Amino acid sequence: MGPLSPGRLSRRNLLAATALGTAATTLPLSTGLLTPAVAATPQSILENLINLRFGMFLHFNMGTFTDEEWATPRQNPTRFAPSAVNCGQWADAAVSAKMRYGVLTAKHHDGFCLWPTAHTSYNVMNSSYRQDIVAQYVNAFRARGLRVGLYYSIWDRSYDVQAYDTHHSVPADQFIVPGDITFILNQLRELLTNYGPIDILFTDGWTWQMGQQDVPYQQIRNLVRSLQPDCVMIDIGGLTQPLIGDAIFFEEPLGIRAPAGNTYAALQGQTISNGWFWHPSTPVDNPMSLSSILDHLADLEPKYTSFILNCPPNRNGVLDTNIVNRLAEVGRAWNPNPNRPPLPPQPLRAEYPVTPVNAYATSFRAGEGPLNAIDGHHNVWYQSCWSTYGGPALPQSITVDLGGVWSNVSTLEYLPKQLSRGSGNNGDITSYTILTSTDGVTFTQATSGSWAGDVNYKVAEWSPRNVGFVRLQINAATGGYANVSELRIGGRTAIPTLVSRLPITSGSYRIAARHSGGTVDVSGVGTADGTNIHQWQWAGANNQRWTFESTGDGYFEVRGVHSGKLMEVAGLSRDDNGNVALWADANVPQQHWAITPVGGGYYLFTNRLSGKALTVAGGSTANGANINQLTYSGLPQQQWQLIPS
């Protein structure tokens, strides 16, 4: 969750101040998000979610004891020191308010874990309260008929699961490595295996920190679906459209509220006190007023949005009396409306996504290249887009490389530009053609159609098939140019399974530039870390031969035969003209390359860290011309032939 300020908190009082009358009936309390007699479908799961109406958010973690909204990482775990933890009291207070579920911060952005995870020592078993709080919480809430949710921050500032991010002061030497993804998957496996049915999983610090490509949405979602198929995934990312999870989270303290007429399944979060976490002023401050809470419930119920009210436990592990009393007042004054119409049909989704490794386009505006359309990166204050604004006339296209051929691919989700929108000229796609390919060269039309030219989420479908590459051709758009905030591709009714990767054999290759025929060569037959890589005419030497090793997730390491070392972008450069050099294998993203066919037997090499393309500097044809990285623009010095050697 974002940091709060009194100014932001005051927004909770902007809704009307009229209290609700007490309804005569209450909704029956279900035994789960789905009753056993109902088949689990995306629609029915979301219907049951929003029928929970009202829930309790529980921010209880290291920040409770440090008076911080975002606790400083790597503190002494003994600072977490509740005298006791009474999850039964939390649950009783929730029941008294007619809440029907809870969500507990199992791990916040500082990385301290409320369960005895095996994957970091920064957890409750090394604190001053050596008990499994997640277990206590789920047992107490279930014992009172309440549904249980968990909040898990992908961003972990103690384990250093984070990527370079100027918005949140994360330095340039930070990036996601494969071990980070394994760490996340292992911790989620613990939470989703050891604590029974988990009805809701909140993730945070993902879309708005490193994005859902760096930490692949496909891997996280597949794990959750395999362990908890009825669990609703909600990522906190500032979006008001259903793209980054199953349901939307409107974070009210940041000014994000369910709009009038909303029909998307959603939760809206607000805090009863001044902060998400407990602070010394919490027990003496006046909590959110009864009338304001009732107004929220009245406003959100017809918008198919559950109100999740944060109630932070104190340093004694209980809710303060002023909060308990306010919740009891709510329960005496409010009942859910049993006559609300059923949830309208929800948009079709790529329920089983495939995380791409690369994208290229026929045109783009400087700084708004095609990789922005697949980075899964968004927040309330900023967005990334692929845009053709100011470029050639439509039609234009973007081609997405899925990092292999996958079965059962049938669906494309499109999110138009969300922020800084003008009037009718935002580049919203209104006419499209979608083509697919298994080799990246020969494309077949899968579908075509039209979309409304507006801000709303869009979807296109075709018959399930094997797909390695998807090309979205924009035929028409508002303003005469295209804007794509995000694309998501996958299967809707069946899980895509990997059919094949790029057909590169186990032998060695010469990598020859299209414009010159010159070969990628290690300067001076060097073997030291940092040895420069440049262009040289083919001489059959081992410093000109390379092997390709799959990373297992769509990328390749490119290894020099003579040295056994890898081709990498030097110095963690993310800039145009960043140098390319030799370095020992460290299994890091600057050593990983997406290798994408572009036709004619040539390939584009895109670095995983920087998103830049392997390029002969200046298009030189001379021996010794430097090889560096540059934003891909389809130049022949950026296209490479792989010749068995």
Side-chain angles (χ1 to χ4, degrees):
M1 312 297 293
L4 296 177
S5 69
R8 286 176 181 157
L9 281 174
S10 67
R11 293 175 180 165
R12 71 187 183 195
N13 298 315
L14 292 180
L15 295 174
T18 305
L20 277 173
T22 303
T25 59
T26 61
L27 293 176
L29 188 65
S30 69
T31 57
L33 281 183
L34 285 173
T35 60
V38 178
T41 66
Q43 179 73 22
S44 60
I45 290 172
L46 292 175
E47 177 88 52
N48 281 275
L49 171 74
I50 57 96
N51 280 342
L52 295 178
R53 310 290 176 115
F54 190 23
M56 178 181 283
F57 212 163
L58 292 150
H59 275 69
F60 183 60
N61 207 285
M62 186 62 76
T64 306
F65 297 87
T66 63
D67 198 19
E68 298 172 290
E69 288 291 281
W70 287 4
T72 303
R74 303 183 190 89
Q75 301 194 57
N76 188 328
T78 60
R79 291 200 68 179
F80 184 83
S83 57
V85 175
N86 189 347
C87 297
Q89 187 241 16
W90 309 349
D92 288 338
V95 170
S96 77
K98 297 190 177 77
M99 292 173 167
R100 300 178 66 189
Y101 66 98
V103 175
L104 172 68
T105 53
K107 184 176 81 167
H108 205 251
H109 307 322
D110 61 289
F112 183 78
C113 301
L114 295 186
W115 78 100
T117 176
H119 304 289
T120 175
S121 61
Y122 199 46
N123 71 67
V124 70
M125 301 311 287
N126 293 305
S127 75
S128 298
Y129 183 83
R130 299 187 177 188
Q131 297 185 46
D132 187 340
I133 294 174
V134 172
Q136 294 179 33
Y137 153 73
V138 298
N139 291 337
F141 271 60
R142 288 198 190 107
R144 290 155 177 82
L146 299 169
R147 312 321 304 155
V148 297
L150 295 174
Y151 166 108
Y152 177 88
S153 175
I154 300 291
W155 187 21
D156 185 326
R157 293 152 61 228
S158 289
Y159 198 84
D160 277 347
V161 179
Q162 57 184 355
Y164 175 48
D165 176 7
T166 58
H167 298 282
H168 301 98
S169 302
V170 179
D173 64 353
Q174 297 296 296
F175 48 85
I176 300 299
V177 298
D180 294 336
I181 299 167
T182 301
F183 171 76
I184 294 165
L185 293 170
N186 285 339
Q187 287 204 318
L188 286 174
R189 186 175 288 106
E190 290 176 331
L191 291 172
L192 299 176
T193 301
N194 297 335
Y195 299 100
I198 302 300
D199 301 290
I200 304 167
L201 176 66
F202 273 28
T203 50
D204 198 3
W206 188 6
T207 307
W208 53 263
Q209 208 289 308
M210 72 287 294
Q212 290 186 342
Q213 185 191 26
D214 278 7
V215 173
Y217 186 64
Q218 177 182 11
Q219 293 189 44
I220 304 297
R221 187 168 180 83
N222 285 352
L223 177 72
V224 175
R225 281 284 174 265
S226 69
L227 298 175
Q228 300 270 354
D230 296 341
C231 180
V232 178
M233 294 180 65
I234 300 173
D235 189 44
I236 300 173
L239 273 180
T240 59
Q241 299 287 323
L243 184 85
I244 57 177
D246 296 315
I248 297 170
F249 181 77
F250 298 110
E251 189 169 354
E252 186 182 337
L254 298 185
I256 308 171
R257 299 175 178 83
N262 177 67
T263 58
Y264 295 136
L267 278 67
Q268 182 166 309
Q270 179 57 283
T271 181
I272 199 169
S273 58
N274 187 24
W276 290 108
F277 282 97
W278 185 90
H279 298 282
S281 63
T282 302
V284 295
D285 285 345
N286 190 30
M288 187 178 186
S289 70
L290 172 63
S291 63
S292 182
I293 295 172
L294 295 176
D295 288 345
H296 276 72
L297 290 164
D299 174 72
L300 295 174
E301 201 168 29
K303 296 177 179 178
Y304 301 97
T305 299
S306 174
F307 184 37
I308 181 167
L309 181 61
N310 182 63
C311 301
N314 63 28
R315 292 174 183 173
N316 295 318
V318 296
L319 297 174
D320 289 315
T321 301
N322 57 344
I323 293 176
V324 172
N325 290 342
R326 183 55 41 83
L327 293 177
E329 291 174 351
V330 173
R332 290 191 292 269
W334 175 76
N335 279 297
N337 176 12
N339 298 315
R340 182 180 67 181
L343 178 70
Q346 295 298 284
L348 301 178
R349 303 293 305 277
E351 297 289 341
Y352 307 102
V354 176
T355 298
V357 299
N358 198 16
Y360 64 91
T362 54
S363 174
F364 60 91
R365 186 184 187 190
E368 295 184 322
L371 290 175
N372 288 349
I374 63 169
D375 62 5
H377 203 212
H378 198 283
N379 198 2
V380 62
W381 299 293
Y382 58 88
Q383 66 183 341
S384 61
C385 285
W386 166 57
S387 178
T388 68
Y389 181 81
L394 300 177
Q396 298 294 326
S397 68
I398 180 172
T399 301
V400 178
D401 179 355
L402 300 181
V405 176
W406 298 83
S407 68
N408 299 317
V409 175
S410 64
T411 307
L412 178 143
E413 301 179 36
Y414 156 54
L415 186 69
K417 175 183 177 181
Q418 297 295 294
L419 304 179
S420 303
R421 291 180 61 86
S423 177
N425 61 348
N426 297 290
D428 304 326
I429 299 170
T430 56
S431 174
Y432 65 88
T433 302
I434 295 174
L435 306 99
T436 65
S437 173
T438 56
D439 62 6
V441 178
T442 302
F443 284 80
T444 302
Q445 181 171 323
T447 189
S448 62
S450 60
W451 288 317
D454 58 31
V455 70
N456 293 322
Y457 160 95
K458 312 293 194 299
V459 66
E461 283 203 293
W462 55 89
S463 59
R465 63 191 63 187
N466 291 352
V467 174
F469 305 85
V470 175
R471 179 168 291 164
L472 172 62
Q473 178 177 298
I474 296 88
N475 304 317
T478 60
Y481 70 100
N483 249 335
V484 174
S485 179
E486 199 68 32
L487 296 175
R488 178 154 287 158
I489 297 163
R492 183 169 69 84
T493 60
I495 300 174
T497 57
L498 184 65
V499 176
S500 63
R501 297 284 190 197
L502 190 70
I504 296 178
T505 66
S506 58
S508 64
Y509 288 81
R510 164 190 172 190
I511 306 173
R514 183 171 194 166
H515 75 296
S516 66
T519 297
V520 175
D521 176 287
V522 178
S523 178
V525 200
T527 60
D529 286 347
T531 301
N532 195 47
I533 292 175
H534 60 192
Q535 172 181 260
W536 205 270
Q537 66 184 17
W538 173 244
N542 279 344
N543 63 313
Q544 298 178 317
R545 290 188 169 97
W546 304 86
T547 62
F548 294 82
E549 300 168 16
S550 173
T551 62
D553 56 359
Y555 298 88
F556 289 86
E557 292 181 333
V558 184
R559 190 179 302 275
V561 169
H562 82 296
S563 66
K565 293 187 175 180
L566 301 182
M567 181 169 68
E568 76 161 37
V569 172
L572 298 177
S573 174
R574 297 168 175 87
D575 300 324
D576 282 344
N577 303 311
N579 202 40
V580 175
L582 201 66
W583 207 271
D585 187 349
N587 194 23
V588 287
Q590 62 267 32
Q591 297 177 331
H592 296 172
W593 300 85
I595 302 176
T596 303
V598 293
Y602 293 93
Y603 296 84
L604 154 67
F605 283 55
T606 304
N607 189 259
R608 187 174 194 170
L609 176 75
S610 66
K612 307 288 186 179
L614 190 71
T615 304
V616 178
S620 173
T621 60
N623 282 341
N626 197 40
I627 291 177
N628 59 17
Q629 65 175 5
L630 195 69
T631 300
Y632 183 68
S633 58
L635 298 172
Q637 61 264 35
Q638 298 179 306
Q639 297 175 356
W640 305 87
Q641 189 176 17
L642 304 183
I643 304 170
S645 63

